[in-house]
Every structure is written in C-alpha cells, then in structure tokens.
Amino acid sequence: MLEKKNGKHLPKLTSVQLIVLYYVCAVLFSTLLLSLPIAHKPGVSLSFIDALFTAVSAISVTGLTVVPTRDTFSVVGYFILMFVMQFGGIGIMTLGTFIWLIFGKKIGLKERLLIMTDQNQSTISGLVSLMKQILLLIVIIEAIGALILGTYFLKYYPKWQEAFFHGLFLSISATTNAGFDITGTSLMPYAHDYFVQFITMILIILGAIGFPVLIEVKHYLTHRGKYPYHFSLFTKITTVTFFALVVFVSVSIYLLEWNQVFADKKWHEAFFASLFQSVTTRSAGLSTIVVGDFSEPTLLLMSLMMFIGASPSSVGGGIRTTTFAIMCLSIFFYAKGRNTIKVFKREIDPIDITKAYIVITTAFMLCGTAVTILSYTEALPLMPIIFEVASAFGTCGLSMGITSELSAVGKLVIIALMFIGRIGIFSFLFLIRGPEKEENYHYPKEKIIIG
Amino acid sequence: MLEKKNGKHLPKLTSVQLIVLYYVCAVLFSTLLLSLPIAHKPGVSLSFIDALFTAVSAISVTGLTVVPTRDTFSVVGYFILMFVMQFGGIGIMTLGTFIWLIFGKKIGLKERLLIMTDQNQSTISGLVSLMKQILLLIVIIEAIGALILGTYFLKYYPKWQEAFFHGLFLSISATTNAGFDITGTSLMPYAHDYFVQFITMILIILGAIGFPVLIEVKHYLTHRGKYPYHFSLFTKITTVTFFALVVFVSVSIYLLEWNQVFADKKWHEAFFASLFQSVTTRSAGLSTIVVGDFSEPTLLLMSLMMFIGASPSSVGGGIRTTTFAIMCLSIFFYAKGRNTIKVFKREIDPIDITKAYIVITTAFMLCGTAVTILSYTEALPLMPIIFEVASAFGTCGLSMGITSELSAVGKLVIIALMFIGRIGIFSFLFLIRGPEKEENYHYPKEKIIIG
Ligand SMILES: [K+]
Ligand SMILES: [K+]
C-alpha cells in the first residue's frame, strides 16, 4: 500500500534510512562538537560516554545531564548546545508531522494543505518545505522570548551581554523543551520571580502543544471567511488534554505537598510552584524546586505525567497526549456501553484506537524493562529509578539527581530511552515495521475469553 | 442487545444484583464465621477489619494475611477457612465461565454444548448446572490431592489425623490457589521435599489453567470420533501462554538469583525453587522461600507476572493470560505490517483485541493509583508496596511481609484490589457498564495523530 502510494517519491526503505541516518549523523557530529577542547571550561575533560550522553540528551531535547553544564562547558560549548537543541527540537517536530502526513492514510486534503503548501510536491521537497516552516515559526518564538527575557534579565545581570545571553539560552531551552540550564540550578534562581516563570511557561507550552496546533491557531487568527473557522479534531483533543493534565497535576501537587514541601511557603508561592512544576513535567524539565524533595506520591504522579508527555508533532516526548486521551475515551465509552467513540461531533477511527493501545502497552513494557535492568545494574532505590526512566522516555529531563551516578550500562539504557521517547513509540514501531502486506487469505474468527 | 437475548431468563440488572449480592453476602457471612470465638485459638481475639480482610482474602482466594493463620485460628477456624476458600474459588470459576457464556456473543454452539449440558435451559438453571459441574471437578481433584498428600505426610506427622488434615488443607489451598497455610511458614517446611512441591504444582496448575481447558482435556481423553479432536482457540492460547510464562519466569529467576539467594544452594535446589516460585506466582501464592530475600529485579519480574495472573475462568486473578497474549500478538503482528492477528489457523476477533487493551490499561491505572495511595498512607519503600499491590490484584497472596503492618486505609485498598482482581477487570467494567446502546447516528470519522 505504502510502496504503491509514495514509492516513486520516497521509497519506504529510504525514508527509514533517512531518519536513522539523520539521527546517527546528528548524534556523532554533536558528540564530536561537544568533545572539542574549545567547548570546555579550562582544565575540564569529558569522557566519550558523557559527551555521547550530553549529545543525545540535547538532540532529543531531554535535558538529563551526567556532567554539570555550567561547570563543564565554555561559552563556545553553550553555543554548540543551543545549536544542537535547536536542530534536535526542530528535526523531531518535522519528523513527527512528516510521518503523520505521509503514513497517516486518509488524512483530509485540508490538513495537508494547511501544513504543506503544495499538495503535489514530492515528499522530499515537502519535508524540506515543512522543516523551513517549522524552523521559521520556532525561531520567531525564540527571538521574541529571548528579547523579553534578555531585557528583563538586565535587572539580574550587570552586563547587557550576559543578560541577553541568559535570555537567549533560556528562551531556546524552554521553547525546544530541552531543559538545559547555565545557572547550575535550573530555574531556582528565579524561584520567586513570577515574570520569568510566566514567560518560560508560555515558551514551554508553545513548543510542547504541537506544530499543527500552532498552524491552526495562526490560520484561525488570520481567518476572514464567511463561515467560522473549524479547528481539527486533533487540535481540539490534544489542547484539551494538555491543559486538563496541567490543571490536574497543579492541583494534585498542591494538595499532596501543601503541608510537606510547601509547608513554609506562602499560598501564592506554593500555587505558582505547583503550576510551574506541572507545566514543566509535560516535557520541559526545568524546575524552580529540587524535585527530589517532593514526597513519593507526588514523584509517582510526576513519573506518570512525564510518561504521558506532550502533544504529538511537538518537541515533547512520551506516549503523547492524544494517545492517553484516546485510551481514557475508549474506556469511558466502553463502560457506557457504546461501541464508537464520539467526541467533538466526530468519531474516532478504530485504527487510531488500536494504535493508541499499541503505543501505550509497548511504552509500558519498554519502561518496565528499563526499570528492571536499572534495578539490577544500579545500587539505587526504586523511586529515583522509576522517575529517571519516565523522565528519559518523556524526554522531560527532571531527575532526582542520580543521572551522573549511573553506571555505563545505566547511561546506555537512558540514552536508548531518550532516543525512543523522542522519535515516539509509533514512529519507532513504524521504523521496525515490515512492509504492509495484502491480506490474501483469512481464517475463521473465533472468540476467546478475555480478562 | 443483551436485554433482547437474555432478558426473559435473567434480566441484566438482576444478574448484576445477583453477583454483587453473592459477594456481599459471602463476605459478611464469612467475616461473621471467622469472628466466632470458636474459630479462634484460646485467648486470641480478631478485630473487625482483620476478620473482614481474612474473609475477602479467602473468598477471593488471594491468601494475603494480616494475622498469622496458624496462631489465630482453631481447627474449627481452619475448617471455616477451607469452606470459604472452596466456595470462593468455585464461585469465581463459575462466574467467569458464566459471564463469558452469556455475554460473549457469537460463541459457537460447540463451546456452549461442551460446558452447558442443555443449550435450551434458562440461564439461571444453566448457572446452577455449571456450578455443579465445576464443584464436582474441583472436589475430585482436591480429594485425589488430599489422599496423595495425606498419605505422604504420614512421614512428617506422627498422627494420621494430622497428616491427612495437613494433606486436605494443602490440597484445597493449592487447587483453589488460595495459598493459605497452617504451617506458619507456607511451604517452607517442605522446601527440600520435591514430591510435595511437585504434587502441589500440579494442583495449582489444575486450578489456574481454566475450567474450559479442563473440560476440553476431558473430552479429548474420552473422544472416540472418526476425526481428531480439536481444541478451542481459547484453550490453545491460554495453555501456551500459561506454560510459556512459567518457563520464562523459572529461567529468569534462576539467572537473576543464581549468585544471590541461590548462591549456597545446589543446582537442583535452585532449579526446583525457581520452578516452584514461577508456578506459584501465576496465582497460588504458596512459597518455599522467603520472597523478600529475592533481589529487586526478581521482585519486579514477579510483580509483573502476578499482575498478568492465571487463565480466565480459573481460580486465578490478574489481567489473565489471554489478555496478555492478545496484547503481545497484536504488537507483534502490527510490527510485521499485518492488520489481522492469525494464530493457530484462526483469526482473533477485533472486539477481543479492544477488550484486551481496555483490561490492561484499566488494570494498570488501577494498580498505579493503588501504589500511589499506599505510598501516601504507608511509611514503606516502593518495592514492597508494588509487590503487595500486584499480589492483591493478581490474587496471588505472596508478600514481602508488609500486610499486617498496613494502615486501615491500606487494608481497604488491598481488599478492593483483591475483590476487583478476583472478579476480573472485564467483569468489573461489565458490572458498571451501562446498557448497550443502538448506534442511531454517526459522525464523520476524523484521523488524529497518535504517539
Ligand atoms: K526536556
Ligand atoms: K492466591
């Protein structure tokens, strides 16, 4: 099916090769760049595995670090990191959107036209044009973010160069949801500065909400037609899920911690800390608080939320919001005795339901295996291991502080999770998926007992 | 649909009421019986919540205990326990088979005829006749088990009454997979006695492999037709999965523990301990070894295996073997580029695939929520909590020894899990499921991005 439709433009094997090639080259090139002595602070040297880990962490915009960024990298190193985050984030946003566009069969002409300017172009030039669009959008967002933050940072940093550099780095780190920091303690220096946190949250959300959503919002704002503009089902589901999770987690963290970590904080401090932590758990991984201080129920909840992750076709990882939403809807409608899922006056395609379940169960088994391996290789309690695995798979980058203590095997497991979390389980399965076969024959169906 | 087909015999509301009623009455009656002073050893008193916990544990044939059975209950108490386990096990085997028979639409006439003698009987008398069949089968298995074990136990216990009582109790506890013990240390007194362990494993497997499988094997053995006997798809899938899991877990435990817990054991001791632990993890919960001594990877693996549990329509709990098998097959066939699951020259019904995924994800969220609640209410590390939750949901009854330390809320959470694990997620969802609606209208389908 695939070969027939898209074969002449971009044969399947080549598209797989392209993606793998893109990653292998990008990882090797970044590792090389980050290994250059000029990228390091004087007297600092970086082992191969630590350079590799940092490269994968930056390309997958996860933000887990085995070495302290601030103490290891020079200003040149910072620029290399920004460059790698930038192209990591844009690459993956492009890839996610692109895979959906070519392999999500039966996508309406409208969606295609929205995202690709010319329907008749070949898919390779489509990919390039898509990447240009995404790059432009992200750079505009980042530039505005850097300008606002840089100007505001003049109050923190005596030199304007320093203020704007911190503004630029934070803006890129937040928008790409990479979560790297050059303060040495993430966003904790701004723990009482609600303006910085507010701008950062906006940038995080713009990166994590998904490229198609941004495009549709742009079209909505510039829409001058006779009829009201209609958002796609995807945009509605992912946006509602995204913000529902943010609200749910904010409230949960507040309730679980108000007499724990927040015991000596004012209500608005606790409220803002909960909100920021909730937003950053979607995928960014920046924090205004030492996450290891949270109590276990909060840490478990955050692990689950990192596992869920951000919107598809965004810079975020995890199983993605739509996958989680489809699972919840499917269970809810089943319990109500319905056989179809009707939402926003549309029906969900049964194939998408199967896909969602495959993604969830594969991801769960993958993370479960990773936790089991790490519990074997690392002499650490279970909670930080679970948290670290969820953080890597969700490319979130929060950590209870065990990343630098990991053994070599442990680091490789986390590297693999960041990679898979990044390209997404569905794309991952797709990469290893054989060519779709015509069903030439059928066997009789037979019911079995389930559950 | 339901109402139309079965309404005249057993309206839906009544069947739900019947099941709930059965459980509430059975739990209350058992709690009452276990609270009788005559059921206790002299000088022992039992709190209400502990009696309730023991009753639910016995009815759900889980085997988790908040009080040591041996030190708490008198011989009368032992008989009450055996009685409760017996009817708990049979009740649930009947219920599982029954729900499948009436609500699993499009079940072949052959399967119906196999299990119910008369196709035209009303469903209530069908339920009674089914229960009789199951009772007879289980009692025969238990009697043979008790006879063999009792005779053999003459070598352990001076008085024949004592030997046969131990034989009877172990036979019932193993066949119903209840896992209660009156030795005070589970099967550890027989840790070097391979004969006792072998017989116990056989009894456990007969209880946990599923009633339809036993019936089909019986038919196979008495089959004298012209054509070879054909096992149903259900029997093939559940049996293969059951034994595949047993082998996989045995080997895994052996490899994970050979230089840990098994370091000072001979190879055949380690082999037998791995095998027995693997079988008992399916659902029985008896053990020849202190499970808390195992290393964390082993405990995580065992938790997953308890979560998976035994065959449907058996005395075991968890998500059930077929559910897990369908998930694996679905992912495997998807990765191979196929849109249907073909196995044993049959095709799996897509509705069964959806059901399997609903069961898995609901069960996972349920257990995740339970772990989070317990991590809040109990001052315990995560590993024993995860293990306890998996054990309760899988109605397995293995524990790292925290059951008696649980808070009242903790005990209630475990009671709820044993109950749901027992009746099965699918039956549970079915119980709360609204009447199936005719789909009078449809909305257009719209694709969304998944994963
Ligand atoms: K991140
Ligand atoms: K049990």
Side-chain angles (χ1 to χ4, degrees):
Chain A
M1 202 140 188
L2 211 60
E3 289 82 343
K4 283 177 199 162
K5 268 195 183 162
N6 303 296
K8 53 183 177 250
H9 306 305
L10 182 66
K12 177 154 184 300
L13 198 66
T14 311
S15 90
V16 172
Q17 285 174 336
L18 263 180
I19 291 163
V20 172
L21 209 69
Y22 169 84
Y23 270 100
V24 173
C25 290
V27 166
L28 289 182
F29 185 61
S30 312
T31 308
L32 184 76
L33 284 182
L34 291 171
S35 302
L36 294 176
I38 195 175
H40 307 154
K41 282 223 158 49
V44 174
S45 75
L46 197 61
S47 72
F48 173 74
I49 189 146
D50 288 348
L52 178 69
F53 193 99
T54 309
V56 172
S57 182
I59 284 182
S60 68
V61 288
T62 302
L64 286 170
T65 50
V66 280
V67 292
T69 309
R70 183 195 166 90
D71 304 337
T72 310
F73 295 104
S74 62
V75 172
V76 174
Y78 291 168
F79 271 104
I80 294 173
L81 266 180
M82 283 194 279
F83 176 80
V84 176
M85 290 190 271
Q86 182 74 307
F87 281 88
I90 287 164
I92 212 59
M93 214 180 206
T94 310
L95 187 66
T97 316
F98 181 68
I99 284 190
W100 183 61
L101 281 175
I102 39 171
F103 301 125
K105 293 161 221 153
K106 296 176 206 152
I107 288 176
L109 186 63
K110 191 183 143 207
E111 279 82 26
R112 271 188 191 275
L113 285 175
L114 263 181
I115 295 172
M116 287 204 192
T117 329
D118 178 8
Q119 167 72 354
N120 290 320
Q121 65 201 338
S122 80
T123 44
I124 290 215
S125 71
L127 181 60
V128 173
S129 123
L130 180 65
M131 195 174 233
K132 274 189 199 158
Q133 270 200 68
I134 290 177
L135 179 65
L136 185 68
L137 188 72
I138 293 293
V139 166
I140 290 173
I141 294 172
E142 284 169 346
I144 297 173
L147 208 65
I148 297 175
L149 287 172
T151 312
Y152 185 79
F153 277 164
L154 290 171
K155 107 179 200 193
Y156 282 96
Y157 302 96
K159 281 192 261 178
W160 69 266
Q161 296 96 325
E162 213 186 348
F164 277 92
F165 185 75
H166 270 90
L168 177 67
F169 196 95
L170 178 55
S171 182
I172 291 181
S173 182
T175 309
T176 61
N177 276 237
F180 278 88
D181 65 85
I182 51 172
T183 63
T185 53
S186 198
L187 276 200
M188 287 167 220
Y190 317 115
H192 299 282
D193 192 325
Y194 299 154
F195 182 77
V196 173
Q197 292 181 46
F198 182 72
I199 297 293
T200 307
M201 282 195 281
I202 302 264
L203 295 175
I204 291 173
I205 291 170
L206 288 176
I209 197 74
F211 174 68
V213 176
L214 297 180
I215 289 288
E216 286 191 30
V217 169
K218 190 184 122 194
H219 279 253
Y220 171 74
L221 295 176
T222 58
H223 179 70
R224 292 286 174 274
K226 201 170 163 189
Y227 303 102
Y229 183 82
H230 285 295
F231 285 104
S232 70
L233 181 62
F234 166 70
T235 290
K236 288 176 187 164
I237 291 182
T238 197
T239 309
V240 168
T241 311
F242 192 97
F243 288 106
L245 288 178
V246 165
V247 171
F248 171 72
V249 175
S250 304
V251 173
S252 301
I253 292 181
Y254 187 87
L255 293 179
L256 285 167
E257 298 294 339
W258 71 272
N259 62 352
Q260 309 261 339
V261 171
F262 297 154
D264 55 352
K265 281 197 161 54
K266 296 197 190 80
W267 71 266
H268 56 88
E269 286 176 326
F271 168 80
F272 225 89
S274 304
L275 180 65
F276 189 85
Q277 211 50 59
S278 174
V279 170
T280 198
T281 306
R282 291 267 54 71
S283 178
L286 292 162
S287 58
T288 56
I289 208 164
V290 179
V291 286
D293 290 348
F294 282 127
S295 64
E296 241 172 39
T298 309
L299 292 168
L300 284 169
L301 182 70
M302 286 171 69
S303 303
L304 176 64
M305 290 303 136
M306 296 191 290
F307 178 78
I308 294 173
S311 296
S313 300
S314 78
V315 294
I319 60 169
R320 319 293 203 240
T321 48
T322 48
T323 311
F324 180 71
I326 294 301
M327 181 197 81
C328 294
L329 288 170
S330 164
I331 295 171
F332 177 76
F333 276 82
Y334 180 81
K336 270 181 66 177
R338 310 296 173 87
N339 291 322
T340 54
I341 301 180
K342 294 192 176 70
V343 58
F344 294 120
K345 301 201 172 170
R346 288 286 181 281
E347 275 182 27
I348 303 290
D349 192 319
I351 294 170
D352 284 339
I353 303 175
T354 307
K355 266 189 204 169
Y357 278 124
I358 287 177
V359 167
I360 290 172
T361 46
T362 311
F364 177 62
M365 289 201 298
L366 188 75
C367 289
T369 307
V371 168
T372 308
I373 294 174
L374 289 181
S375 78
Y376 187 81
T377 59
E378 316 298 315
L380 289 164
L382 215 46
M383 191 63 246
I385 290 179
I386 292 173
F387 196 87
E388 193 83 5
V389 164
S391 178
F393 176 72
T395 67
C396 179
L398 292 172
S399 172
M400 289 171 67
I402 64 167
T403 322
S404 57
E405 298 168 33
L406 292 175
S407 66
V409 175
K411 283 176 188 170
L412 288 174
V413 169
I414 296 295
I415 286 175
L417 281 175
M418 293 192 287
F419 177 77
I420 298 171
R422 174 73 324 192
I423 68 168
I425 287 282
F426 179 59
S427 310
F428 176 69
L429 279 175
F430 185 82
L431 290 185
I432 61 169
R433 194 180 189 198
E436 199 162 305
K437 301 277 200 329
E438 292 286 339
E439 304 276 343
N440 297 320
Y441 63 101
H442 283 280
Y443 290 121
K445 277 183 190 152
E446 186 171 333
K447 305 276 294 180
I448 64 169
I449 319 179
I450 298 288
Chain B
M1 203 140 186
L2 213 58
E3 289 82 343
K4 283 177 199 164
K5 268 193 182 163
N6 304 296
K8 51 183 178 251
H9 306 304
L10 182 67
K12 177 154 184 299
L13 198 67
T14 311
S15 91
V16 172
Q17 283 173 337
L18 264 180
I19 292 164
V20 172
L21 209 69
Y22 170 83
Y23 269 98
V24 173
C25 290
V27 165
L28 290 182
F29 185 62
S30 311
T31 308
L32 185 76
L33 283 182
L34 290 172
S35 300
L36 295 175
I38 195 176
H40 307 153
K41 284 225 158 48
V44 174
S45 75
L46 197 62
S47 72
F48 173 74
I49 190 144
D50 287 349
L52 177 69
F53 193 99
T54 310
V56 172
S57 182
I59 284 182
S60 68
V61 290
T62 302
L64 287 171
T65 50
V66 279
V67 292
T69 311
R70 181 195 168 92
D71 304 336
T72 310
F73 295 105
S74 64
V75 173
V76 174
Y78 291 167
F79 272 104
I80 295 173
L81 266 181
M82 283 195 280
F83 176 81
V84 176
M85 290 191 270
Q86 182 75 307
F87 281 89
I90 287 164
I92 210 58
M93 213 180 206
T94 310
L95 187 66
T97 316
F98 181 68
I99 285 191
W100 184 60
L101 281 175
I102 39 170
F103 301 126
K105 291 161 222 154
K106 296 176 205 151
I107 288 177
L109 187 62
K110 190 183 145 209
E111 280 82 25
R112 271 189 191 273
L113 285 174
L114 263 181
I115 295 172
M116 289 203 187
T117 330
D118 180 7
Q119 166 72 354
N120 290 320
Q121 66 202 335
S122 80
T123 44
I124 289 214
S125 72
L127 181 59
V128 173
S129 122
L130 180 65
M131 194 173 236
K132 275 189 200 158
Q133 269 199 69
I134 290 177
L135 180 65
L136 185 69
L137 188 73
I138 294 293
V139 166
I140 290 174
I141 294 172
E142 284 168 345
I144 297 173
L147 207 65
I148 297 174
L149 287 172
T151 312
Y152 185 79
F153 278 164
L154 290 171
K155 104 178 202 195
Y156 283 96
Y157 302 97
K159 282 193 263 179
W160 70 265
Q161 295 95 323
E162 211 185 348
F164 276 93
F165 185 76
H166 270 89
L168 178 67
F169 196 95
L170 178 55
S171 181
I172 292 181
S173 182
T175 310
T176 61
N177 276 237
F180 279 88
D181 65 85
I182 51 173
T183 62
T185 52
S186 198
L187 275 200
M188 286 166 220
Y190 316 115
H192 299 281
D193 192 326
Y194 299 154
F195 182 76
V196 173
Q197 291 180 48
F198 182 73
I199 298 293
T200 307
M201 282 194 284
I202 302 263
L203 294 175
I204 291 172
I205 291 171
L206 288 175
I209 196 76
F211 175 68
V213 176
L214 297 180
I215 289 288
E216 287 192 28
V217 169
K218 192 183 119 194
H219 280 252
Y220 172 75
L221 295 176
T222 58
H223 180 72
R224 293 285 176 276
K226 201 168 160 189
Y227 302 103
Y229 182 82
H230 284 294
F231 286 104
S232 69
L233 181 62
F234 166 71
T235 290
K236 287 175 186 164
I237 290 182
T238 196
T239 310
V240 167
T241 311
F242 192 97
F243 288 106
L245 288 178
V246 165
V247 170
F248 170 71
V249 175
S250 305
V251 173
S252 301
I253 293 180
Y254 186 88
L255 293 179
L256 286 168
E257 298 293 338
W258 72 271
N259 62 354
Q260 310 262 339
V261 172
F262 297 154
D264 55 352
K265 282 196 163 54
K266 295 196 191 79
W267 72 266
H268 56 89
E269 287 176 326
F271 168 80
F272 226 89
S274 305
L275 181 64
F276 188 84
Q277 211 50 56
S278 174
V279 170
T280 199
T281 305
R282 291 267 55 69
S283 178
L286 292 162
S287 58
T288 56
I289 209 163
V290 179
V291 286
D293 291 348
F294 282 127
S295 63
E296 241 171 39
T298 309
L299 292 167
L300 284 169
L301 182 70
M302 287 171 69
S303 302
L304 176 65
M305 290 303 136
M306 296 191 289
F307 177 79
I308 294 173
S311 295
S313 300
S314 79
V315 294
I319 60 169
R320 319 293 202 239
T321 47
T322 47
T323 311
F324 179 71
I326 294 300
M327 181 197 82
C328 294
L329 287 170
S330 163
I331 295 171
F332 177 75
F333 276 83
Y334 181 80
K336 270 180 65 179
R338 309 296 172 86
N339 291 321
T340 55
I341 301 181
K342 293 190 178 70
V343 58
F344 294 121
K345 300 200 173 170
R346 288 287 180 278
E347 274 182 27
I348 303 289
D349 194 319
I351 294 171
D352 284 339
I353 302 175
T354 307
K355 268 189 203 167
Y357 278 122
I358 286 177
V359 167
I360 290 173
T361 45
T362 312
F364 178 61
M365 289 202 299
L366 188 75
C367 290
T369 308
V371 168
T372 309
I373 294 174
L374 290 180
S375 79
Y376 187 80
T377 60
E378 317 297 316
L380 288 165
L382 214 46
M383 191 63 246
I385 291 178
I386 292 175
F387 197 86
E388 193 83 4
V389 164
S391 178
F393 176 72
T395 68
C396 179
L398 292 172
S399 172
M400 290 171 67
I402 64 167
T403 322
S404 57
E405 298 168 34
L406 291 176
S407 65
V409 175
K411 284 176 187 171
L412 289 174
V413 168
I414 296 295
I415 286 175
L417 281 176
M418 292 193 288
F419 178 77
I420 299 171
R422 173 72 326 190
I423 68 169
I425 286 281
F426 179 59
S427 309
F428 176 70
L429 278 175
F430 185 82
L431 290 185
I432 61 169
R433 194 182 189 197
E436 198 162 307
K437 302 276 199 328
E438 294 283 340
E439 304 276 345
N440 298 320
Y441 64 101
H442 283 281
Y443 289 120
K445 277 182 191 153
E446 186 171 335
K447 306 277 293 179
I448 63 170
I449 318 179
I450 298 288

